[in-house]
Amino acid sequence: MTEQYVWDLREVDETQVAVVGGKGAHLGGLSRIEGIRVPAGFCVTTDAFRRIMAEAPSIDDRLDQLSRLDPDDREAIRTLSAQIRRTIEETGIPDDLAAAITRALDRLGEQAAYAVRSSATAEDLPTASFAGQQDTYLNVVGPAAILRHVSRCWASLFTERAVTYRRRNGIDHRTVHMAVVVQQMVFPRASGILFTADPVTGNRKVATVDAGFGLGEALVSGLVNPDVFTVRDGEIVAKAIAAKQRAVLALPAGGTQEVAIDAQRQEQPALTDAQVVRLVQLGRHIEAHFGGPQDIEWCLVDDGFQIVQSRPITTLFPVPVPEAGDQENHVYVSVGHQQMMTDPMKPLGLSMWQLTAMVPMHEAGGRLFVDVTRRLASPAGRAALLDVIGRGDPLVRDALETVLDRGDFVPSLPDAGPGGPPAGGASAPIEPDPAIVTELIERSQVSIATLERDIRTKTGPALFDFLLEAFEEHKRVLGDPLNLQAIMAGMEATWWLNDKLEEWLGEKNAADTLTLSAPDNVTSEMGLALLDVADVIRPQPEVVAFLQDVEYVEDTAFLDELAKLAGGAEALDAIETYLDRYGMRCVGEIDITRPRWRERPTTLVPVILDNVRNFEPGTAGRRFEQGRQKAQEKEQDVLSRLRALPDGDRKADEAKRMIDQVRTFIGYREYPKYGIVSRYFLYKQALMKEAERLVQAGVLREKEDIFYLTFQELHDVVRSNRVDEQLIEQRKDAFRSYHALTPPRVLTSDGEALTGAYRRDDVPPGALIGLAVSAGTIEGRARVILDMADADLEAGDILVTPFTDPSWSPLFVGIAGLVTEVGGLMTHGAVIAREYGLPAVVGVEQATRLIRDGQRIRVHGTDGYVEILP
């Protein structure tokens, strides 16, 4: 049947990507939108491509070879993909297929000029645009030339860039097929690109139009700078008219040619203002049809616009979905930047954090955000929020102030309005009594022990009912007024000491030394405890040798194998003791789906080996005692210098009270997170047992599939013993796509993503600016580490990484300094850096890209910048 090989564009829509590819499906959808003109044409379907592939000799073997190549082996990819392309182009098109294509040409006009365009099934997708990965041929004239260019489009599925793009996006070459779109050629006066959202800021209410003379190839290839128009609410709000010296025009006999533009015409706009506004109206119409921001290719022909392509803009960070009917403006602050985990979370992780959080949270792009619009609306709420956020992360404050400075985005409410009490207002005073911390820790331990005892007997739907009650207890423990007072007491004392000692003594960040080896810090104790594990392992050569090869041992077998070695029993006991206390932790621990150290103990092996190699026995105790003594000496020094000042006794007494407060409470700052993660591990173990039951019952394929369901969806699956497998696959695809997105610190309901900026002029030229969080200056070798499991550190190294949550603290004992891309004054990495006395600068944008692994750098932890040394 020849009908399966050729379909008219008007017969297809965006649901038929598998038949006509992404471009064909979108063009078919466009051609059905009332008021949108699309050049007439037809699609040569993927059935035709599959037939050619089946008839082409040796293709199968070469595809096997291609799938085994390293994506970075460019030479091998170039050679093999060229062989595949040549084979496809040399395979003759069967007579019935060629006849179907020429019949379609007869209907449109055989001798007309056509654009012959590739349309792959993995193209113009919501999660990967594949823009420019396959070929398009313009102004092709005559049936023989069109058939030849259809073959070239099929072959272009295997250009070097397309093959590499698929490998990097985890897409199997055999699952992608190529259709070809053949469209009547249009000869435009002007052409270009319309983005229905600002591709730089993400603002969905701002459209940008790039325009040039002639065919759009001049713009796409970078041959000319386009005119750029910015449109908001139907008005042009900015425009830049470029000198357009060149254009690409179609030749009468076929093909295209680059030509010079007349001098007097070069600086004329390619479009009138009225045409720009009309084009954006068409774009909004197309955007509404496809349900999201679009990247649209357009042509101006005889004073009317023709649309030759529309694809989703895949680089925009998504916006939280508002409640039905909500048309209000909203300002959202990133949770991940506060929690030092900006990676995407899986749906179960997102929903569990939302269910156990103290404030409502909204999901977008696999990340969580808090709506702060109401806080910003009233003068008192705004001042308090900006003060607390600014002390912790000045970039978030700057981003919020950028939104506020516009004056019309955030509504104004009186202080007595529904915004509630000011965020982060001064907490009630609390005495610096260590017994308070002891009591709080005991309360948490009792609550967790009760959870551990009671959850054991719960299964099926009863487990989920129990968990909903457990989440309320979880929030009750966190919201305990004494807990909040203790946390705030340590933070406020730190801020007070830094402010007052700089004012009185001219000393920056004096509190950093005063917090060294603070008591009751479970996160810093975790790093030191791994030094003790190394002390047990160091004298056991068989154990050390085994650990050096441990990557070849499965996680589940690692501890069993260890017990069989000489000295293995002692090593096993030390590791088990460590895991009993800290095994619930892991990188990205706010996501319950992440593998815990207890589940994957081999994660700790590189850090243990670094400790074995870099430290002497007994280092943990000595390090803690040295820090404690330094803090004590600093206290005596500060107080004696204050007493020598005018009104010195009062100042010294006030400082002493704050030093006692910071020593008593700053370590406890880390404990609530430890309690949360301890509870999370118990929740997870119970849910994984349910997942195993669902796998045994044939409901799920694998137990980790529950990670792609929300808590409520999983509850429904357990009750019904039925699951939507298609939903799970869609969630897996979406999660993979979220890794390519960079979450902003602040996001508006218009889609504008703001990262904030440091407004500083007190740093050397070329220095990387960040936030000073732990005093001191250190030079050393930069170790750029993206995954804790890849740690290979020497004494004196400086750790450079995107972010550090508490699970990274075991690395801190072996480094000399810290640089992160994310973080604030009171985030976990900053607190632990101060405890260990490590100079640290956080919030350094793109630090892991701008600093190369192995470079020498100087970290200015007191002044907040990093220098890359020659």
Side-chain angles (χ1 to χ4, degrees):
M1 293 285 290
T2 57
E3 287 78 17
Q4 67 187 8
Y5 294 134
V6 174
W7 285 16
D8 189 279
L9 263 183
R10 290 165 299 185
E11 295 179 297
V12 300
D13 63 26
E14 55 270 28
T15 66
Q16 292 162 296
V17 171
V19 179
V20 295
K23 187 177 287 129
H26 275 79
L27 284 166
L30 281 165
S31 67
R32 291 164 173 242
I33 304 174
E34 190 176 343
I36 302 298
R37 293 167 59 199
V38 176
F42 59 88
C43 297
V44 182
T45 67
T46 53
D47 284 338
F49 171 75
R50 274 189 283 267
R51 181 167 169 190
I52 292 295
M53 291 292 281
E55 295 189 8
S58 73
I59 284 284
D60 260 0
D61 289 345
R62 285 178 172 154
L63 283 179
D64 286 340
Q65 292 174 46
L66 200 59
S67 66
R68 290 193 294 268
L69 290 180
D70 183 327
D72 294 322
D73 189 348
R74 296 186 61 177
E75 190 55 45
I77 288 174
R78 185 179 300 123
T79 303
L80 193 53
S81 57
Q83 291 171 0
I84 294 171
R85 287 198 306 279
R86 195 161 49 248
T87 300
I88 293 171
E89 288 187 39
E90 290 171 357
T91 299
I93 299 178
D95 291 346
D96 59 332
L97 175 50
I101 295 170
T102 51
R103 273 199 301 276
L105 286 170
D106 285 342
R107 289 194 292 272
L108 291 174
E110 190 178 275
Q111 289 309 310
Y114 290 87
V116 183
R117 313 173 70 190
S118 302
S119 180
T121 53
E123 179 177 81
D124 295 353
L125 305 178
T127 56
S129 74
F130 279 78
Q133 298 304 312
Q134 284 94 32
D135 290 348
T136 285
Y137 301 95
L138 300 178
N139 203 29
V140 183
V141 179
I146 286 168
L147 288 172
R148 191 164 63 251
H149 284 86
V150 166
S151 285
R152 286 185 179 175
C153 283
W154 287 331
S156 77
L157 190 65
F158 297 97
T159 61
E160 180 191 348
R161 63 183 182 274
V163 167
T164 303
Y165 191 94
R166 284 196 293 274
R167 286 301 306 274
R168 294 233 157 100
N169 282 273
I171 296 170
D172 183 348
H173 302 301
R174 292 176 187 278
T175 63
V176 184
H177 304 290
M178 180 68 84
V180 180
V181 176
V182 180
Q183 275 181 292
Q184 283 184 337
M185 188 71 191
V186 293
F187 301 97
R189 286 195 300 142
S191 59
I193 311 290
L194 160 64
F195 293 100
T196 65
D198 188 318
V200 178
T201 69
N203 195 321
R204 305 317 198 256
K205 291 190 175 175
V206 172
T208 63
V209 176
D210 290 7
F213 295 122
L215 294 167
E217 303 313 292
L219 267 60
V220 174
S221 65
L223 184 65
V224 297
N225 290 324
D227 298 339
V228 180
F229 302 86
T230 304
V231 178
R232 182 176 183 128
D233 298 329
E235 289 185 18
I236 295 174
V237 294
K239 61 180 169 182
I241 307 304
K244 299 169 287 297
Q245 297 173 342
R246 317 289 292 171
V248 174
L249 302 179
L251 294 170
T256 61
Q257 182 180 29
E258 182 187 317
V259 298
I261 302 286
D262 292 343
Q264 66 270 26
R265 194 168 163 236
Q266 287 178 8
E267 297 195 23
Q268 288 181 4
L271 296 177
T272 66
D273 287 3
Q275 287 170 333
V276 170
V277 171
R278 169 68 185 140
L279 176 60
V280 171
Q281 288 172 340
L282 293 174
R284 294 288 178 220
H285 195 34
I286 293 167
E287 179 183 64
H289 174 83
F290 287 119
Q294 298 288 302
D295 165 357
I296 298 167
E297 294 180 25
W298 56 269
C299 295
L300 178 65
V301 185
D302 301 329
D303 291 326
F305 288 104
Q306 298 216 28
I307 306 301
V308 294
Q309 189 155 332
S310 184
R311 61 167 74 93
I313 307 176
T314 59
T315 55
L316 299 178
F317 198 87
V319 180
V321 178
E323 292 182 16
D326 182 352
Q327 300 295 314
E328 300 294 316
N329 290 342
H330 293 275
V331 182
Y332 303 97
V333 170
S334 163
V335 173
H337 285 80
Q338 311 304 312
Q339 291 293 335
M340 296 292 276
M341 210 294 273
T342 55
D343 288 347
M345 296 167 69
K346 297 187 179 81
L348 185 62
L350 289 164
S351 65
M352 293 284 278
W353 194 259
Q354 286 172 306
L355 285 166
T356 53
M358 302 302 289
V359 294
M361 292 185 178
H362 307 267
E363 184 273 334
R367 280 80 167 187
L368 290 171
F369 295 84
V370 172
D371 187 343
V372 296
T373 319
R374 290 287 178 145
R375 294 284 187 208
L376 293 173
S378 69
R382 182 185 316 135
L385 180 69
L386 291 176
D387 180 54
V388 169
I389 280 182
R391 286 180 178 278
D393 187 340
L395 290 177
V396 176
R397 175 173 183 146
D398 184 77
L400 289 174
E401 287 177 333
T402 300
V403 176
L404 289 167
D405 285 347
R406 292 178 188 149
D408 58 353
F409 191 82
V410 176
S412 290
L413 295 171
D415 284 337
S427 58
I430 185 171
E431 287 301 311
D433 181 359
I436 294 172
V437 172
T438 304
E439 181 188 343
L440 284 167
I441 290 173
E442 284 175 0
R443 284 187 200 177
S444 176
Q445 288 173 339
V446 167
S447 177
I448 291 166
T450 303
L451 172 66
E452 188 170 12
R453 182 194 68 212
D454 294 348
I455 203 169
R456 285 180 190 148
T457 57
K458 305 296 187 291
T459 59
L463 169 66
F464 288 82
D465 295 337
F466 171 82
L467 283 172
L468 288 171
E469 291 177 16
F471 297 162
E472 293 308 308
E473 166 66 4
H474 181 125
K475 290 192 277 190
R476 188 196 65 75
V477 171
L478 280 181
D480 180 339
L482 190 61
N483 179 53
L484 299 176
Q485 279 181 289
I487 293 169
M488 288 307 297
M491 292 166 63
E492 286 169 352
T494 302
W495 298 333
W496 189 96
L497 286 165
N498 280 337
D499 290 348
K500 290 297 185 183
L501 296 183
E502 184 167 8
E503 177 190 336
W504 293 339
L505 300 176
E507 186 172 341
K508 286 185 181 177
N509 302 331
D512 293 359
T513 309
L514 294 166
T515 57
L516 288 171
S517 299
D520 300 310
N521 188 318
V522 69
T523 309
S524 62
E525 289 166 5
M526 180 170 69
L528 296 174
L530 207 57
L531 285 173
D532 292 335
V533 173
D535 286 355
V536 174
I537 289 170
R538 193 178 292 106
Q540 311 295 343
E542 271 194 47
V543 173
V544 173
F546 170 74
L547 293 180
Q548 286 167 340
D549 287 334
V550 87
E551 62 187 282
Y552 305 110
V553 180
E554 287 291 323
D555 269 305
T556 49
F558 160 55
L559 297 176
D560 293 338
E561 292 292 318
L562 187 61
K564 300 172 186 174
L565 305 172
E570 295 91 331
L572 178 61
D573 184 55
I575 291 172
E576 284 284 4
T577 301
Y578 187 85
L579 291 174
D580 285 345
R581 181 145 168 78
Y582 304 111
M584 78 294 289
R585 310 218 81 150
C586 67
V587 172
E589 61 193 9
I590 68 170
D591 183 351
I592 199 170
T593 71
R594 291 287 192 105
R596 311 283 135 176
W597 290 343
R598 171 53 82 182
E599 297 168 317
R600 194 174 289 174
T602 50
T603 306
L604 294 170
V605 169
V607 193
I608 292 172
L609 288 172
D610 283 349
N611 289 349
V612 166
R613 186 175 66 247
N614 294 334
F615 296 103
E616 296 294 321
T619 297
R622 286 195 300 275
R623 286 279 289 271
F624 186 82
E625 183 54 29
Q626 286 164 2
R628 196 185 64 78
Q629 286 179 9
K630 274 188 190 173
Q632 204 168 23
E633 290 163 9
K634 184 67 175 177
E635 177 180 338
Q636 291 165 356
D637 171 60
V638 164
L639 296 178
S640 66
R641 286 159 62 201
L642 286 174
R643 287 195 182 96
L645 298 175
D647 198 17
D649 287 343
R650 179 189 61 81
K651 291 172 179 171
D653 288 346
E654 286 183 21
K656 171 61 175 164
R657 191 165 64 252
M658 287 300 179
I659 292 169
D660 288 347
Q661 191 161 305
V662 87
R663 295 294 299 174
T664 302
F665 294 115
I666 200 64
Y668 179 71
R669 161 79 178 79
E670 293 292 298
Y671 200 88
K673 181 79 172 284
Y674 175 78
I676 290 170
V677 177
S678 298
R679 300 177 77 91
Y680 261 39
F681 191 37
L682 295 172
Y683 304 153
K684 182 180 186 180
Q685 288 172 309
L687 291 174
M688 293 311 287
K689 285 178 185 169
E690 287 302 304
E692 287 169 14
R693 186 187 65 74
L694 290 167
V695 170
Q696 287 165 2
V699 178
L700 292 179
R701 290 181 187 171
E702 51 190 23
K703 58 187 182 186
E704 287 78 14
D705 282 351
I706 70 167
F707 297 161
Y708 297 93
L709 299 170
T710 66
F711 180 82
Q712 187 56 54
E713 288 165 350
L714 180 54
H715 191 178
D716 294 341
V717 169
V718 168
R719 275 203 305 256
S720 66
N721 268 345
R722 285 198 304 275
V723 71
D724 182 345
E725 289 185 1
Q726 191 175 0
L727 174 67
I728 288 174
E729 290 309 309
Q730 287 171 353
R731 295 269 178 80
K732 288 179 178 179
D733 288 342
F735 178 70
R736 277 191 290 269
S737 74
Y738 294 152
H739 282 278
L741 300 173
T742 301
R745 285 176 168 82
V746 171
L747 181 66
T748 73
S749 48
D750 285 354
E752 188 173 6
L754 299 106
T755 55
Y758 294 107
R759 313 291 175 179
R760 292 176 55 186
D761 55 10
D762 60 341
V763 298
L768 308 181
I769 303 175
L771 177 63
V773 296
S774 186
T777 302
I778 194 74
E779 284 185 22
R781 178 179 68 157
R783 293 310 316 270
V784 180
I785 297 176
L786 305 181
D787 184 339
M788 186 176 151
D790 298 332
D792 181 16
L793 296 163
E794 300 288 346
D797 283 348
I798 297 170
L799 174 62
V800 181
T801 192
F803 53 79
T804 61
D805 60 11
S807 70
W808 285 73
S809 66
L811 292 184
F812 284 23
V813 299
I815 58 176
L818 174 70
V819 178
T820 68
E821 295 177 336
V822 175
L825 193 62
M826 285 298 169
T827 47
H828 300 278
V831 171
I832 304 307
R834 289 194 291 273
E835 289 251 340
Y836 286 168
L838 299 175
V841 180
V842 302
V844 180
E845 287 288 295
Q846 299 192 333
T848 59
R849 296 180 198 174
L850 298 172
I851 300 170
R852 292 195 313 275
D853 187 52
Q855 276 186 316
R856 286 195 66 77
I857 61 173
R858 184 183 297 128
V859 177
H860 295 263
T862 306
D863 296 309
Y865 63 92
V866 180
E867 290 180 284
I868 299 173
L869 303 176

